[in-house]
C-alpha cells in the first residue's frame, strides 16, 4: 500500500496560506505497526500541525499500512512525511 496515499486521503488539506509546511517522521515495523511518531519541523500553526498529526494517526489506526515486504532487509522502514498545502 502506498504510504503517501493512505495519509493524504485522511488529511483535510487547508486552503489559504501556502507557506505552511510540517514534517513528521515515524517508523513502520516489520509487522506493519507504527512507532515513534514525531515532528521534525512544525508549521507554526497549531491547527495545521494537529491536522497533519491526526492524518498519520488515522492511517495508523485504520490500519492502513501492511507488513513490510519479505525482501525488506531491515526491521523498520523510516518514513519522513511532508505536509504542504497546494493542489492534490
Amino acid at each position: 500500500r502506498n504510504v503517501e496515499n493512505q495519509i493524504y486521503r485522511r488529511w483535510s488539506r487547508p486552503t489559504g496560506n501556502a507557506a505552511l509546511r510540517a514534517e513528521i517522521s515515524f517508523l513502520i515495523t516489520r509487522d506493519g505497526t507504527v512507532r515513534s511518531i514525531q515532528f521534525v519541523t512544525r508549521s507554526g500553526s497549531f491547527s495545521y500541525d494537529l491536522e497533519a498529526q491526526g492524518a498519520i494517526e488515522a492511517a495508523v489506526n485504520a490500519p492502513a499500512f501492511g507488513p513490510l515486504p519479505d525482501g525488506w532487509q531491515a526491521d523498520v522502514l523510516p518514513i519522513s512525511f511532508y505536509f504542504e498545502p497546494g493542489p492534490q
Side-chain angles (χ1 to χ4, degrees):
R1 297 178 202 153
N2 185 306
V3 171
E4 181 178 355
N5 288 341
Q6 293 299 323
I7 293 171
Y8 273 142
R9 62 189 282 209
R10 291 166 172 85
W11 183 43
S12 298
R13 188 180 297 265
T15 58
N17 189 350
L20 294 175
R21 177 180 173 157
E23 180 184 357
I24 300 177
S25 67
F26 57 94
L27 301 172
I28 300 176
T29 63
R30 180 147 307 279
D31 67 359
T33 58
V34 173
R35 65 177 205 227
S36 301
I37 300 172
Q38 59 188 358
F39 276 90
V40 176
T41 306
R42 293 184 183 268
S43 69
S45 166
F46 178 77
S47 61
Y48 187 89
D49 292 347
L50 193 60
E51 282 287 335
Q53 183 177 354
I56 291 176
E57 290 173 351
V60 168
N61 291 333
F65 312 125
L68 297 178
D70 291 336
W72 187 258
Q73 298 291 327
D75 288 332
V76 297
L77 172 63
I79 302 289
S80 189
F81 200 84
Y82 296 91
F83 289 88
E84 299 176 294
Q88 295 186 26

